[in-house]
Amino acid sequence: MLDRRFLLLAFTLSLFAPAVFGQATADWQQRVRYEMDVTLHPERHRLDGFQRLTYHNNAPDTLRQVFYHLYFNAFQPGSMMAERNRHLPDPDPRIVPRIWELGPEEIGFHEVLSLQQDERPLSFEIHETVMRVDLAAPIPPGDSTVFAMRFRSQVPLQTRRSGRDSREGIAYSMTQWYPKMAAYDARGWHPDPYVGREFYAPFGTFDVRLRLPARFVVGATGVLQNPDEIGYGYGADTTNVVASNGADTLAWHFYAENVHDFAWAADPEYIHESFDADGITIHLLYEPEVAGTWTRLRGALPGLVAAFNERFGRYPYPQFTVAQAGDGGMEYPMMTLVSGFAGPGRPRSFGSVLGTTAHEFGHMWYYGVLGSNEADFAWMDEGFATYASTEALAAMQGRPASHLGSAIGFLRQQHLGLQERTNTPADWFTTNTGYSIASYTVGSLMADMLGYVVSDSLRDRWLHEYFERFKFRHPDPLDVEKVAEDVSGLRLDWFFEQFANTTRRLDYAVEDLDQERTQDGTRITLVLEREEELVMPLDVRLTLEDGTTQWVHIPLDLTQGHKPVPAGWIVAAPWPWTFPRYTLTLTLPQRVARAEIDPFLRMPDENRLNNTTGFPLTARFLHAPGQSWSRYSVGYRPLAQYAYDFGPAVGFQVRGQ
């Protein structure tokens, strides 16, 4: 008879299993429709706005409350954003100390003047950047309701992403600028405070009117509905002048479908260019001081857009706007803000502007169309956008793509002791460096490494299929994994678990090579060893005495199969993951002169010296007194060069084994 305590434990674990192991994206998605009419008063940097929000509850749950984000409230001394960045060991210099120095006329805020649900007044409670609203009537499954809000906002002096009067003189970088409904999914509400990272919201339609003095040129999410009235290069008259209607104020009317945010930028000095790139309209907005660099984008973007469309799925929106604004590079649906200067008086180089624009354009796929939860799984957006932009830039420039930097970044994170679980919620990383490496570098590494595990061709099919299957659906990590398994026919949970949920290290070694002449040739016995916890399948290159090569693929038993390999490769027996050692026995026509694990450097192996026969060396860096030796590979030359940047290192030695 089973012990009752065991049965109780099993039952309890079954209740918590979905929370522990996650669940795939639900078949339903919430839907919103924003209608906004906003007037900017630039003399006071204030907004007066009206918002009509139709909320469709497609969840199987009855909703009795909703949550709004009030992002501008973060830009104040003493806010959660200010406090968090003050205590980080590597605070963002764009925020600290600038946010603590904002005066009463420079802070940001939202004031909700009135809020109704289907014409019934609502009560609400605001805690800094989150507003909880108790509904006048529940919203049952399949029903909808209409919220009407009047609000007043002060645009903050630009500190991070959003605000007025950026350091390079752009008047308005308007992002996270309106009261925005929070996301509700199968896990419930996501009313995350605005601490520093990025965003998650329901898809919908935005119908927005922006009323500004006529001297301002505007770029925004969506398609301008009154281009001939506006002018400035948007209408039939393609010159960069305002339409001759004599008005002191222009009402810019933008409309966007299937987006989860709306951003805009405005400045009186903007030069506006528009052109076609692989079937979509590109808008460039920049100031005269950077014209020499930004006009070159016109020639580069058509090839870049075509490369993305071919590799990762067709861009589904009608336009894409690149505006000189913000404080680096930041993505929004159909729009990106890219700074124009590298420092005071120093315009960014063309390569820098192109690289940033390519990365932000990659976000249109993973942030914009897929809309994953960046607050919890930043790597699904930042990492995949990094990988995709590297591939697209290389294709556009007619060269092979290299992702070696991702492997180096992964190893750097480990050796500096900064590695945290990749699935750590974005605001919970203990350093900005740890967040950046986990989200950008490890996310990109995972995409590249999957090519090593399942083959590059199947990896490319996986990314394309992932986009097509989950566009406009907010996928989560299990969806990424499931598509990869469907496309490859292999079991891959072990792969994503190791890189997303652990901080394990990777080090495989050639332990021994014995060879014996036989009547059939040379019998070789190659002993391999896994010296760290992270497990992978292996590609091994055997170089024979006459210089020819024999490739061997050693599957990992957990994959329940192996990737397709070229003709002539030997597929060995799978390596059971619980065994740290593996013995490969083969009969070959000649002796082996050299055996090497992963000679193309696809894996982030922390010690490359032990990957090859014939190099009995160990490289170590001697740290300050009282600290331990830290092994590092000089066989992986970029890593050796990089290692000299380590602050604590005071000595170096090479030892024979």
Side-chain angles (χ1 to χ4, degrees):
M1 177 180 290
L2 289 174
D3 189 275
R4 288 186 177 181
R5 289 171 297 179
F6 174 81
L7 292 175
L8 178 61
L9 175 61
F11 176 72
T12 304
L13 289 175
S14 71
L15 292 178
F16 285 95
V20 174
F21 297 108
Q23 57 188 16
T25 292
D27 291 333
W28 54 268
Q29 304 290 321
Q30 304 294 63
R31 194 78 183 175
V32 293
R33 178 183 175 85
Y34 287 89
E35 298 169 78
M36 289 192 283
D37 197 316
V38 180
T39 301
L40 173 67
H41 306 285
E43 69 282 357
R44 293 180 292 130
H45 305 297
R46 297 286 183 93
L47 290 173
D48 288 320
F50 172 77
Q51 179 189 102
R52 177 184 171 91
L53 171 58
T54 304
Y55 188 88
H56 297 270
N57 180 23
N58 298 319
D61 313 314
T62 296
L63 304 182
R64 292 177 171 80
Q65 61 182 9
V66 298
F67 293 86
Y68 283 81
H69 297 284
L70 304 177
Y71 291 115
F72 273 2
N73 290 350
F75 298 105
Q76 301 177 15
S79 69
M80 292 179 69
M81 176 184 285
E83 184 70 6
R84 175 62 170 167
N85 278 271
R86 183 165 71 97
H87 291 288
L88 289 173
D90 55 344
D92 190 329
R94 294 168 292 189
I95 299 175
V96 176
R98 189 175 174 88
I99 194 170
W100 289 94
E101 299 169 349
L102 297 176
E105 304 302 315
E106 297 173 326
I107 64 171
F109 62 73
H110 291 295
E111 294 179 355
V112 178
L113 305 177
S114 66
L115 181 62
Q116 296 179 330
Q117 178 193 3
D118 297 328
E119 301 183 349
R120 298 169 64 181
L122 292 173
S123 61
F124 51 86
E125 179 180 325
I126 297 175
H127 179 68
E128 196 177 287
T129 60
V130 176
M131 182 172 76
R132 189 190 72 194
V133 180
D134 296 322
L135 298 180
I139 313 173
D143 207 348
S144 64
T145 194
V146 177
F147 299 100
M149 177 193 296
R150 294 195 178 276
F151 64 95
R152 178 184 300 128
S153 305
Q154 179 166 291
V155 183
L157 183 67
Q158 202 249 338
T159 55
R160 183 67 182 101
R161 300 187 179 100
S162 187
R164 64 173 175 88
D165 300 326
S166 74
R167 291 173 179 82
E168 53 195 64
I170 303 301
Y172 291 97
S173 304
M174 298 301 289
T175 62
Q176 297 87 51
W177 60 274
Y178 60 95
K180 179 180 175 183
M181 184 66 73
Y184 184 89
D185 62 17
R187 296 172 61 192
W189 284 104
H190 294 267
D192 301 303
Y194 190 22
V195 174
R197 302 302 179 205
E198 298 172 37
F199 315 101
Y200 180 40
F203 283 101
T205 299
F206 284 77
D207 192 337
V208 181
R209 286 174 170 80
L210 305 171
R211 303 181 188 275
L212 292 82
R215 68 181 184 275
F216 284 95
V217 184
V218 177
T221 295
V223 175
L224 185 64
Q225 301 298 293
N226 55 340
D228 291 333
E229 175 187 346
I230 294 297
Y232 284 124
Y234 282 97
D237 181 359
T238 59
T239 58
N240 195 56
V241 296
V242 66
S244 56
N245 56 12
D248 295 328
T249 300
L250 290 177
W252 298 70
H253 181 194
F254 290 94
Y255 182 84
E257 293 182 341
N258 286 327
V259 296
H260 46 76
D261 204 353
F262 184 96
W264 55 286
D267 192 272
E269 302 299 322
Y270 271 153
I271 297 171
H272 172 224
E273 287 190 74
S274 65
F275 54 94
D276 179 83
D278 202 27
I280 69 171
T281 300
I282 303 289
H283 298 283
L284 298 182
L285 295 167
Y286 56 88
E287 296 208 323
E289 292 83 357
V290 299
T293 298
W294 281 61
T295 53
R296 294 179 64 185
L297 282 177
R298 181 165 191 150
L301 284 177
L304 185 69
V305 173
F308 271 102
N309 281 339
E310 180 181 355
R311 293 291 303 275
F312 305 110
R314 185 79 189 176
Y315 182 81
Y317 299 123
Q319 72 93 10
F320 177 61
T321 296
V322 185
Q324 180 192 352
D327 51 24
M330 185 62 197
E331 70 281 357
Y332 298 93
M334 298 191 219
M335 184 177 191
T336 183
L337 307 186
V338 177
S339 59
F341 285 80
R346 291 190 298 114
R348 293 173 72 169
S349 67
F350 171 67
S352 175
V353 173
L354 175 61
T356 301
T357 302
H359 178 82
E360 308 309 332
F361 190 54
H363 278 300
M364 297 303 110
W365 276 252
Y366 301 102
Y367 155 82
V369 178
L370 289 165
S372 57
N373 181 352
E374 293 182 277
D376 288 346
F377 312 114
W379 62 271
M380 292 177 62
D381 171 39
E382 293 294 356
F384 287 2
T386 299
Y387 173 84
S389 60
T390 301
E391 289 285 319
L393 277 171
M396 181 195 76
Q397 296 167 352
R399 57 175 175 81
S402 172
H403 300 279
L404 186 59
S406 295
I408 294 173
F410 178 78
L411 292 169
R412 174 181 188 259
Q413 182 187 45
Q414 291 183 330
H415 281 275
L416 291 178
L418 296 176
Q419 185 180 16
E420 298 179 61
R421 195 175 68 106
T422 306
N423 268 341
T424 299
D427 283 322
W428 288 69
F429 282 87
T430 56
T431 65
N432 277 318
T433 302
Y435 161 79
S436 296
I437 296 175
S439 302
Y440 294 76
T441 303
V442 180
S444 177
L445 175 70
M446 288 167 68
D448 183 54
M449 283 277 289
L450 199 64
Y452 177 74
V453 172
V454 305
S455 80
D456 289 336
S457 60
L458 289 178
R459 186 267 324 283
D460 293 346
R461 281 180 51 193
W462 158 64
L463 284 172
H464 199 282
E465 176 66 19
Y466 170 53
F467 177 77
E468 294 297 336
R469 192 182 299 185
F470 285 99
K471 56 187 175 184
F472 311 123
R473 291 187 57 199
H474 305 296
D476 69 12
L478 287 185
D479 298 315
V480 174
E481 175 188 315
K482 183 63 166 61
V483 176
E485 291 189 335
D486 289 347
V487 169
S488 68
L490 301 175
R491 179 186 170 192
L492 297 168
D493 53 348
W494 58 271
F495 174 84
F496 290 100
E497 175 66 21
Q498 290 182 114
F499 285 98
N501 290 323
T502 79
T503 57
R504 293 183 173 185
R505 303 160 82 98
L506 191 152
D507 184 19
Y508 278 92
V510 176
E511 183 68 19
D512 193 18
L513 174 62
D514 288 329
Q515 306 192 66
E516 179 184 0
R517 296 283 187 184
T518 70
Q519 61 181 7
D520 298 321
T522 300
R523 179 183 177 85
I524 72 159
T525 302
L526 181 66
V527 180
L528 308 177
E529 185 161 357
R530 188 183 72 245
E531 298 195 349
E532 293 289 351
E533 292 181 305
L534 202 151
V535 300
M536 288 287 289
L538 296 184
D539 289 344
V540 179
R541 181 172 63 187
L542 305 176
T543 303
L544 307 186
E545 286 182 325
D546 66 353
T548 60
T549 58
Q550 174 63 64
W551 284 87
V552 180
H553 177 67
I554 304 173
L556 181 67
D557 68 321
L558 294 172
T559 60
Q560 300 298 323
H562 63 84
K563 66 181 178 183
V565 298
W569 281 44
I570 295 172
V571 178
W575 186 333
W577 74 271
T578 59
F579 288 79
R581 280 195 169 197
Y582 179 93
T583 300
L584 174 68
T585 302
L586 296 172
T587 299
L588 299 175
Q590 300 176 47
R591 290 177 59 84
V592 171
R594 179 184 175 92
E596 186 172 6
I597 298 170
D598 183 30
F600 292 144
L601 312 182
R602 297 295 299 270
M603 299 193 303
D605 193 305
E606 67 175 37
N607 181 16
R608 287 268 163 196
L609 289 176
N610 62 18
N611 285 32
T612 309
T613 56
F615 286 87
L617 300 174
T618 298
R620 296 179 182 272
F621 286 91
L622 179 61
H623 286 237
Q627 295 184 345
S628 63
W629 288 86
S630 175
R631 183 178 60 196
Y632 217 83
S633 167
V634 296
Y636 198 5
R637 183 168 178 78
L639 298 181
Q641 294 170 343
Y642 177 86
Y644 286 103
D645 295 334
F646 286 9
V650 295
F652 174 80
Q653 68 181 23
V654 179
R655 297 177 175 174
Q657 291 181 332

